[in-house]
């Protein structure tokens, strides 16, 4: 969970109507919250730092797993219970959980004022003016919000949504039904926004989409968009998430290897290392095709860091399927992995299947993969000790006084003893120690920007 809002001074001095926003879930939701802030600015709303300062309290939600929805339901009930009598504070839900449960939410959460899905944000200003509880969950396959400027947060890194929705039909996934069909923004709009991002001083951009590499607009594919994005001066690094393995075509791979600004880091969801499970999930590729893709990528980009998503306990996942996942993760030598227990989502194809792996067994499988990945990440990171890596400095280090922290091109967190570096600089750091989550070192040159 994160809180998206303006600075403390802005909150104290806010002149418009106060908007308190909490964001749950993926980076697309974070970017959507920036869009909501941008859209509501035109209606006189300014972000505030606490629900007590707000006229509107909005939770931008996630539906990907049941647990994510339960947390939000609990939080919104708590906020409604805290609403002081007599105050006209409106409380509402936006995003994927809102879309998933729609008007049923008004019944199940008494006191809720509004429910708005991912394609309803441009109407939010009007919804907030309504006297009655309102629901806007119309999906619109043309909605890209290309004319709405997001209100981006502070920092060295900006998000840029390049496509919305998902046309894949992974059997476990609720995203296609809550975010609708795939649609891409025009390259000209994205490049103009990138120009603004550069002018605002951001050094890195993360291109976002549910299947980001399915980007396609009037003959411009994802690879071509990466090349064009790299021509924007001031943007030093380009990342993207999440690509789908089956959409990782030659154009994208060539752009990765030939465009120095495109970072050598790829988050490539695998879900399972068993062909039987991949087929049951409708992922559209086999284990061997994924292996071949990673070999090609590693040949093209030798210093590539690789991370993945894995689901354990999908209906029908046998002990042997699970062992295949564990072994394949080791073979891939992932730098990092996001590991999940399968969560049944009503409305998906997989919801019709009987669950065959008990909660306890799912937990045990998850714990085993977590332990294996922790050990593997430590080993992979240890191999970087003694090398020099380029760090985009983003903040003071959390634990070490006077040290700084940032990410290297492989998206690893590096904390280091500075020698003149400031936030926003790109500096060379010699790695002196490494754990599974962090590299530590010393700055060895003067800043480059
Ligand atoms: N579009 C990406 C893809 O599948 O290639 C991933 C998007 S999803 C927001 C992030 C991850 O959540 C998925 O890769 C998957 O591992 C996990 N996930 C999605 N649905 C799930 C479910 N029903 N249960 C558990 N994990 C799930």
């Amino acid at each position: 969970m994160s809180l998206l809002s303006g600075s403390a001074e802005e909150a104290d001095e806010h002149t418009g109507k106060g908007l308190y926003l909490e964001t749950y879930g993926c980076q697309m939701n974070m970017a959507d919250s920036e869009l909501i802030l941008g859209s509501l600015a035109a209606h006189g709303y300014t972000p505030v730092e606490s629900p007590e300062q707000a006229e509107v309290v909005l939770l931008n939600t996630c539906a990907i797993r049941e647990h994510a929805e339960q947390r939000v339901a609990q939080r919104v009930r708590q906020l409604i219970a805290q609403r002081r009598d007599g105050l006209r504070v409106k409380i509402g839900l936006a995003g994927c959980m809102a879309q998933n449960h729609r008007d049923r939410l008004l019944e199940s959460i008494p006191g809720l004022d509004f429910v708005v899905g991912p394609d309803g944000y441009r109407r939010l200003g009007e919804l907030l003016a309504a006297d009655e509880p309102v629901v806007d969950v119309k999906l619109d396959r043309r909605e890209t919000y290309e004319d709405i400027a997001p209100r981006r947060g502070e920092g060295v890194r900006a998000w840029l949504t390049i496509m919305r929705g998902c046309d894949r039909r992974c059997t476990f996934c609720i995203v296609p039904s809550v975010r609708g069909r795939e649609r891409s923004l025009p390259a000209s709009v994205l490049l103009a926004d990138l120009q603004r991002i550069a002018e605002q001083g951001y050094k890195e951009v993360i291109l976002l989409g549910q299947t980001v590499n399915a980007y396609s607009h009037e003959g411009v594919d994802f690879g071509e968009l990466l090349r064009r994005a790299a021509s924007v001066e001031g943007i030093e690094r380009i990342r993207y998430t999440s690509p789908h393995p089956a959409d990782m075509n030659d154009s994208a791979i060539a752009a990765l290897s030939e465009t120095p600004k495109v970072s050598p880091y790829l988050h490539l969801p695998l879900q399972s290392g068993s062909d039987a499970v991949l087929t049951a999930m409708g992922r559209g590729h086999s284990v061997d095709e994924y292996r071949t893709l990673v070999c090609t990528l590693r040949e093209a980009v030798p210093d590539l860091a690789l991370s993945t998503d894995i689901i354990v306990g999908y209906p029908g996942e046998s002990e042997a399927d699970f062992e295949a996942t564990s072994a394949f993760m080791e073979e891939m030598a992932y730098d990092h992995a996001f590991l999940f227990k399968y969560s049944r989502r009503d409305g998906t194809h997989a919801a019709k299947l009987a669950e065959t792996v008990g909660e306890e067994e799912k937990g045990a499988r998850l714990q085993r993969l977590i332990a294996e990945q922790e050990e593997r990440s430590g080993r992979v990171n240890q191999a970087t000790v003694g090398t020099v890596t380029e760090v985009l400095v983003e903040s003071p280090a959390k634990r070490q006084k006077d040290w700084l922290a940032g990410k290297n091109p492989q998206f690893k967190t590096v904390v280091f003893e500075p020698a003149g570096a400031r936030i926003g600089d790109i500096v060379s750091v010699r790695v002196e120690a490494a754990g599974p989550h962090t590299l530590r070192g010393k700055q060895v040159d003067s800043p480059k920007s």
Side-chain angles (χ1 to χ4, degrees):
M1 195 261 314
S2 77
L3 165 65
L4 260 179
S5 63
S7 67
E9 292 100 285
E10 268 174 323
D12 289 342
E13 291 172 9
H14 83 266
T15 45
K17 294 168 271 186
L19 167 68
Y20 173 76
L21 182 50
E22 277 178 15
T23 308
Y24 296 78
C26 65
Q27 295 183 63
M28 279 216 71
N29 265 13
M30 308 288 272
D32 277 358
S33 285
E34 296 182 340
L35 192 72
I36 290 171
L37 289 173
S39 164
L40 284 181
H43 294 267
Y45 288 92
T46 52
V48 293
E49 294 229 314
S50 71
E52 292 75 31
Q53 296 167 289
E55 272 87 44
V56 171
V57 171
L58 198 160
L59 272 53
N60 191 7
T61 63
C62 170
I64 209 88
R65 281 169 289 277
E66 194 182 0
H67 179 65
E69 292 194 342
Q70 284 167 347
R71 274 178 64 211
V72 168
Q74 214 177 2
R75 174 67 174 146
V76 76
R77 284 199 175 94
Q78 181 194 38
L79 286 163
I80 289 169
Q82 284 168 357
R83 181 158 47 185
R84 276 167 294 161
D85 288 341
L87 278 189
R88 286 285 303 143
V89 179
K90 289 202 168 178
I91 299 181
L93 296 180
C96 296
M97 175 185 172
Q99 187 70 36
N100 198 18
H101 298 284
R102 300 166 224 198
D103 40 1
R104 291 193 299 274
L105 285 168
L106 293 184
E107 280 162 43
S108 62
I109 307 180
L112 199 61
D113 294 296
F114 63 97
V115 174
V116 58
D119 287 346
Y121 300 149
R122 79 167 59 241
R123 294 180 292 277
L124 245 179
E126 294 146 44
L127 296 181
L128 293 177
D131 292 326
E132 298 288 313
V134 274
V135 176
D136 185 333
V137 288
K138 204 164 81 63
L139 287 175
D140 178 353
R141 66 180 304 175
R142 282 160 311 162
E143 180 58 274
T144 59
Y145 301 112
E146 63 182 67
D147 54 327
I148 297 180
R151 187 186 196 279
R152 297 195 159 90
E154 285 170 14
V156 297
R157 188 174 298 121
W159 289 295
L160 178 62
T161 300
I162 65 166
M163 54 87 68
R164 303 181 70 86
C166 182
D167 281 358
R168 295 212 159 258
R169 285 285 175 268
C170 301
T171 54
F172 52 83
C173 191
I174 194 74
V175 166
S177 46
V178 292
R179 283 194 169 265
R181 302 297 303 269
E182 245 172 54
R183 62 221 102 126
S184 296
L185 281 89
S188 56
V189 169
L190 294 171
L191 288 165
D193 205 3
L194 258 182
Q195 195 67 52
R196 275 192 297 276
I197 287 173
E199 282 159 15
Q200 286 161 3
Y202 296 100
K203 295 284 163 62
E204 178 174 307
V205 67
I206 305 188
L207 308 181
L208 294 178
Q210 291 300 333
T211 42
V212 72
N213 53 340
Y215 176 87
S216 174
H217 195 276
E218 289 180 358
V220 180
D221 68 1
F222 182 62
E224 176 60 20
L225 185 71
L226 285 176
R227 292 177 195 274
R228 293 194 190 178
S231 69
V232 176
E233 239 173 85
I235 299 295
E236 306 291 343
R237 287 180 176 178
I238 301 166
R239 306 185 189 281
Y240 49 91
T241 201
S242 282
H244 191 287
D247 287 317
M248 206 68 211
N249 61 18
D250 290 347
S251 161
I253 297 172
L256 276 190
S257 89
E258 292 161 15
T259 319
K261 283 187 185 178
V262 177
S263 290
Y265 166 64
L266 187 68
H267 179 69
L268 198 61
L270 169 70
Q271 315 301 357
S272 170
S274 148
D275 275 334
V277 178
L278 282 181
T279 304
M281 287 176 163
R283 287 291 288 170
H285 64 83
S286 65
V287 173
D288 208 41
E289 282 163 342
Y290 185 101
R291 176 187 285 116
T292 303
L293 173 63
V294 170
C295 283
T296 308
L297 283 159
R298 284 188 163 143
E299 261 169 43
V301 187
D303 57 347
L304 186 78
L306 191 66
S307 64
T308 198
D309 289 338
I310 301 285
I311 296 175
V312 295
Y314 184 79
E317 184 189 69
S318 67
E319 190 63 38
D321 293 324
F322 170 70
E323 289 300 337
T325 300
S326 162
F328 191 69
M329 288 181 72
E330 179 60 17
E331 183 189 330
M332 289 295 101
Y334 287 114
D335 291 72
H336 184 71
F338 297 88
L339 304 162
F340 308 106
K341 285 196 275 189
Y342 169 69
S343 171
R344 187 181 166 281
R345 305 278 58 211
D346 279 337
T348 62
H349 174 76
K352 297 183 205 129
L353 308 174
E355 291 221 39
T356 56
V357 186
E359 232 359 80
E360 206 174 314
E361 179 59 23
K362 268 192 217 170
R365 289 181 187 182
L366 182 74
Q367 287 312 317
R368 173 144 151 232
L369 293 190
I370 290 174
E372 288 173 356
Q373 185 56 47
E374 188 83 353
E375 190 275 327
R376 182 178 307 121
S377 298
R379 213 179 333 127
V380 171
N381 287 347
Q382 196 60 38
T384 67
V385 173
T387 63
V388 171
T389 192
E390 304 253 288
V391 179
L392 170 56
V393 187
E394 57 188 85
S395 65
K398 280 196 194 112
R399 293 194 194 99
Q400 192 104 21
K401 192 169 173 288
D402 299 331
W403 282 35
L404 295 173
K407 298 277 190 200
N408 75 357
Q410 285 77 17
F411 211 48
K412 293 181 195 262
T413 300
V414 183
V415 295
F416 66 97
E417 185 182 346
R422 286 165 315 168
I423 289 167
D425 290 340
I426 294 180
V427 296
S428 296
V429 171
R430 183 175 302 282
V431 181
E432 295 180 336
H437 308 290
T438 316
L439 312 182
R440 295 168 63 82
K442 255 192 195 138
Q443 184 186 346
V444 290
D445 72 351
S446 46
K448 288 200 184 118
S449 64

